[in-house]
Amino acid sequence: GLGASWLGLGAGASGAPASGPAALRAGVLGGVEEEVLRFVAVENPSLGLSVQVFGRARELRRALRAGELSLGSFETALQVDDSAENSDHQLVSAGTSVTLPLGFYSRKLRRLSDLGKGSRVVVSADPYEQGRALLVLYHYGLIGFVQELGPLARLPDVTTNARELELVAVPNDALASQLGDHDLVALTYERAGQLGLAPARNALALEDGFSPFAQVLTVRRAAQRDHAAWLERLLAAYRAPAVKAFILRRFEDSVRRAW
């Protein structure tokens, strides 16, 4: 089983006596993940779930590794696997939560079918975001590449491009400024939000909820290995119909369920 110190419940970790009631502590970076977990906590008081907001992913990951948190909701499964701080694979995904969808936006086109031959499509120069954007274009049938590449696809891997789209990579901080000049621009959920764009309402092409880039609940490997009872209860609570309804209502279909 899991010791009190693993959950951050021992006297040294939280100041609470080791014999105190079991409680779960979740780490988030704010935003959607925080809102959803706080809703889960209110809906399921017996979980004893509290939510702590961190300023940086590195700090959150460190607290999780140290056993000060039960779980984190702040990254995708790919980020868990690729994190330099997780090189010893102490942290693993316990299951998908929500997808904060990347979308393609335009100030020139009203719908994707208006995308003409030779249109200029802007994606991020960051490899992680670039693969994410190319996967969306692939699923909409606009480009092709070796399917096995999946999220690892990069611009040089594009093998078919029937509309002869001009695919351009720019740094992340320049993406927003491309909207006025080019036909389609790939923007993350956060970046679109900063521009007042809602994925469900404004995106011409949008990532699916079951994307490889879905967010996950991150735990220490021990919790998964030991089939921690709290983890099963938490996942069941997270994926309950009331949470599904909350996500749909609160985020107006712009945040997608990944379960």
Side-chain angles (χ1 to χ4, degrees), residues 30 33 67 72 78 81-82 86 92 94 97 99 111 120 127 136 151 162 165 172 178 198 202 208 240 243-244 248:
E33 292 97 332
L78 293 170
D81 292 340
D82 293 345
N86 194 29
V92 296
S97 53
T99 297
R111 56 186 69 83
R120 194 176 175 96
V136 174
L165 302 174
N172 281 342
Q178 307 295 309
N202 304 118
D208 183 78
V243 180
K244 173 182 175 180
L248 183 63

Side-chain angles (χ1 to χ4, degrees), residues 134-159:
L134 292 178
L135 204 53
V136 174
L137 294 177
Y138 176 92
H139 284 303
Y140 276 81
L142 293 170
I143 61 168
F145 50 76
V146 176
Q147 188 177 6
E148 284 71 25
L149 284 170
L152 300 177
R154 304 294 179 258
L155 285 176
D157 299 314
V158 174
T159 53

Side-chain angles (χ1 to χ4, degrees), residues 20-233:
L24 299 176
R25 299 168 89 182
V28 296
L29 297 177
V32 172
E33 292 97 332
E34 179 186 0
E35 287 197 51
V36 175
L37 276 174
R38 289 197 187 281
F39 181 82
V40 171
V42 170
E43 285 286 301
N44 301 272
S46 64
L47 282 176
L49 177 64
S50 62
V51 181
Q52 182 177 348
V53 181
F54 288 76
R56 298 174 61 196
R58 180 169 290 182
E59 295 163 4
L60 198 166
R61 205 175 278 114
R62 190 177 296 132
L64 189 52
R65 287 166 60 91
E68 296 163 13
L69 299 169
S70 313
L71 69 144
S73 180
F74 67 109
E75 61 190 343
T76 70
L78 293 170
Q79 288 170 322
V80 177
D81 292 340
D82 293 345
S83 168
E85 297 111 79
N86 194 29
S87 57
D88 55 1
H89 304 295
Q90 273 192 49
L91 305 180
V92 296
S93 163
T96 52
S97 53
V98 294
T99 297
L100 309 179
L102 176 139
F104 280 86
Y105 299 83
S106 178
R107 297 217 190 277
K108 293 186 166 190
L109 312 177
R110 294 191 63 185
R111 56 186 69 83
L112 198 62
S113 57
D114 295 337
L115 193 67
K117 209 162 192 175
S119 291
R120 194 176 175 96
V121 178
V122 180
V123 299
S124 173
D126 171 76
Y128 179 84
E129 282 192 28
Q130 188 174 118
R132 191 171 185 175
L134 292 178
L135 204 53
V136 174
L137 294 177
Y138 176 92
H139 284 303
Y140 276 81
L142 293 170
I143 61 168
F145 50 76
V146 176
Q147 188 177 6
E148 284 71 25
L149 284 170
L152 300 177
R154 304 294 179 258
L155 285 176
D157 299 314
V158 174
T159 53
T160 59
N161 181 356
R163 297 197 198 186
E164 298 173 15
L165 302 174
E166 186 182 349
L167 301 168
V168 183
V170 304
N172 281 342
D173 57 7
L175 281 168
S177 65
Q178 307 295 309
L179 266 176
D181 300 323
H182 305 303
D183 299 292
L184 272 186
V185 179
L187 299 174
T188 61
Y189 177 87
E190 182 179 27
R191 214 166 279 129
Q194 291 166 353
L195 295 173
L197 298 169
R201 192 168 62 247
N202 304 118
L204 302 191
L206 194 60
E207 189 172 36
D208 183 78
F210 297 95
S211 158
F213 296 90
Q215 302 290 115
V216 298
L217 300 176
T218 305
V219 299
R220 282 182 60 176
R221 185 176 290 279
Q224 201 177 53
R225 185 183 63 230
D226 298 342
H227 303 292
W230 68 261
L231 187 51
E232 291 177 24
R233 290 198 306 272

